[in-house]
């Protein structure tokens, strides 16, 4: 091989190396997050995306939420009530997520260090088929924040506590823990029925109150005739405790209600406000020293609630 051919082959080899290096650097650059004018890393930036579904995978279980009209529903559990604002917040952060730091340039090598071996996967799918895929790792120890990765980028990012908390909410935090809404400050009537069938009702006085704050509501079923109620006491001892009732623990697929004392509840509470909103709460046996079993109207589960209420 003459000298000219050798130089040609060497030149071609160098060119191949340079081209390969160029494409490698270009690809690496594409897999790196850019920074905004304020020095934050742009993890995601698709503000015009119209989200259609949200899938959350944690501990091998995937729960999917789908937007129907103006509300999110839990696929397969459509009767369950959700905390709508929490899902909206999750979607908002997923569409436009910024990070204050890059803590690692290699998520594959360093993922376990930051909790991504047991991470929560969040996938938001838009109407156009675009998928935002984020993984949420550990929460930081020394400062408030969460570690996050994005499927198309190599880095591990540190996002602030508010964004991390919104993205890391699991199904238990997205399920509504409260009974059907009733405005206890504008109540029409509340009826308490005991296990033995006895009951009493607190109802709005259809006539004028005797004095402001006294006689606006009447108590019936206890005495021979209806008795006026002190509104302030009613609010403190009835309205506020009812308004604060919330699930402590969900018991899905509860089976026989008798095991919870809910086949013949020790108390049934029915409330209705002046706007027509209604709610029924059935109270069963004690679960432990702090909680008791209960059921709410329009819910499929049995739950526990605090005895304080």
């Amino acid at each position: 091989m003459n000298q000219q051919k050798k130089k040609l082959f060497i030149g071609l080899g160098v060119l191949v190396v340079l081209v390969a290096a160029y494409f490698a650097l270009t690809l690496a650059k594409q897999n790196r997050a850019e920074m905004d004018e304020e020095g934050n890393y742009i993890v995601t930036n698709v503000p015009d995306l119209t989200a259609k579904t949200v899938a959350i995978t944690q501990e091998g279980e995937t729960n999917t939420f789908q937007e129907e009209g103006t509300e999110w529903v839990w696929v397969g559990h459509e009767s369950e009530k959700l905390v709508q604002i929490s899902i909206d917040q999750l979607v908002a952060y997923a569409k436009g997520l910024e990070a204050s730091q890059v803590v690692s340039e290699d998520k594959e090598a360093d993922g376990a260090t930051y909790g991504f071996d047991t991470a929560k996967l969040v996938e938001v799918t838009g109407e156009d088929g675009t998928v935002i895929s984020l993984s949420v790792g550990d929460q930081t120890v020394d400062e408030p924040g969460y570690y996050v990765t994005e499927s198309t980028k190599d880095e591990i990012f540190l996002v602030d506590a508010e964004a991390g908390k919104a993205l890391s909410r699991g199904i238990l935090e997205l399920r509504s823990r409260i009974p059907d809404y009733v405005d206890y400050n504008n109540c029409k009537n509340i009826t308490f029925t005991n296990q033995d069938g006895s009951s009493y009702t607190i109802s709005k006085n259809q006539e004028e109150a005797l004095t402001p704050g006294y006689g606006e509501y009447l108590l019936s079923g206890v005495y021979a005739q209806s008795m006026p109620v002190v509104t302030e006491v009613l609010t403190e001892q009835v309205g506020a405790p009812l308004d604060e009732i919330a699930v402590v623990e969900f018991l899905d697929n509860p089976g026989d209600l008798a095991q919870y004392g809910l086949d013949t509840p020790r108390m049934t509470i029915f409330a209705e406000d002046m706007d027509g909103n209604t709610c029924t709460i059935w109270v069963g046996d004690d679960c432990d020293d702090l909680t008791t079993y209960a059921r709410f109207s329009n819910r499929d589960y049995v739950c526990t609630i605090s005895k304080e209420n």
Side-chain angles (χ1 to χ4, degrees):
M1 182 180 295
N2 58 39
Q3 192 69 19
Q4 189 175 4
K5 286 185 177 180
K6 286 183 178 179
K7 290 181 178 179
L8 178 61
F9 284 129
I10 292 172
L12 288 173
V14 171
L15 180 61
V16 169
V17 171
L18 290 174
V19 170
Y22 170 79
F23 281 109
L25 288 172
T26 301
L27 181 61
K29 187 176 180 180
Q30 290 175 343
N31 290 341
R32 293 287 186 266
E34 297 179 355
M35 297 182 72
D36 63 17
E37 295 178 353
E38 298 178 355
N40 295 313
Y41 292 91
I42 302 173
V43 183
T44 62
N45 184 29
V46 282
D48 296 329
L49 180 77
T50 300
K52 189 61 180 176
T53 63
V54 175
I56 298 174
T57 302
Q58 194 169 23
E59 297 180 352
E61 180 181 3
T62 300
N63 290 285
T64 302
F65 307 92
Q66 183 170 314
E67 191 172 38
E68 293 187 1
T70 60
E71 291 196 343
W72 293 94
V73 298
W74 183 10
V75 177
H77 306 269
E78 285 76 10
S79 65
E80 294 295 331
K81 303 295 183 181
L82 301 172
V83 184
Q84 298 291 324
I85 192 172
S86 293
I87 303 179
D88 289 337
Q89 189 180 42
L90 180 153
V91 170
Y93 276 114
K95 288 166 55 175
L97 184 63
E98 294 181 344
S100 59
Q101 295 181 42
V102 169
V103 298
S104 171
E105 299 284 351
D106 190 347
K107 65 184 179 184
E108 297 298 329
D110 300 331
T113 303
Y114 297 95
F116 290 99
D117 51 341
T118 58
K120 188 181 102 173
L121 177 64
V122 177
E123 291 186 326
V124 178
T125 303
E127 289 183 346
D128 62 356
T130 300
V131 179
I132 303 169
S133 183
L134 299 166
S135 293
V136 185
D138 290 341
Q139 185 176 11
T140 58
V141 176
D142 56 336
E143 59 180 297
Y146 287 77
Y147 300 114
V148 173
T149 64
E150 195 272 331
S151 61
T152 66
K153 295 179 175 64
D154 295 329
E155 301 107 316
I156 296 174
F157 301 96
L158 177 63
V159 301
D160 65 38
E162 185 176 350
K165 185 176 181 180
L167 292 168
S168 65
R169 289 190 178 105
I171 182 60
L172 290 179
E173 295 165 290
L174 295 176
R175 295 177 73 173
S176 174
R177 294 178 175 270
I178 60 177
D180 290 332
Y181 173 76
V182 167
D183 184 356
Y184 291 103
N185 291 318
N186 188 31
C187 208
K188 182 178 180 181
N189 59 72
I190 307 173
T191 298
F192 298 84
T193 303
N194 296 312
Q195 193 172 37
D196 62 6
S198 62
S199 68
Y200 62 94
T201 298
I202 300 168
S203 57
K204 188 83 170 179
N205 189 353
Q206 300 303 313
E207 301 177 359
E208 289 188 11
L210 300 177
T211 61
Y214 181 68
E216 295 171 320
Y217 288 87
L218 301 175
L219 172 66
S220 60
V222 178
Y223 305 103
Q225 59 184 8
S226 297
M227 300 294 292
V229 175
V230 179
T231 303
E232 183 179 354
V233 177
L234 174 63
T235 300
E236 292 177 354
Q237 298 190 11
V238 179
L242 283 176
D243 201 34
E244 293 170 0
I245 286 179
V247 174
V248 175
E249 182 181 3
F250 291 98
L251 301 172
D252 294 307
N253 305 312
D256 187 3
L257 295 179
Q259 62 184 315
Y260 311 104
L262 290 167
D263 54 335
T264 55
R266 63 178 175 182
M267 178 175 287
T268 301
I269 306 166
F270 173 81
E272 180 180 9
D273 65 23
M274 299 301 290
D275 294 324
N277 299 307
T278 64
C279 175
T280 304
I281 300 171
W282 295 272
V283 182
D285 294 340
D286 289 343
C287 174
D288 52 39
D289 291 340
L290 300 176
T291 62
T292 186
Y293 294 113
R295 287 180 60 220
F296 303 155
S297 52
N298 298 314
R299 306 291 194 273
D300 294 332
Y301 55 76
V302 166
C303 64
T304 60
I305 60 175
S306 171
K307 286 184 179 180
E308 289 185 1
N309 299 100

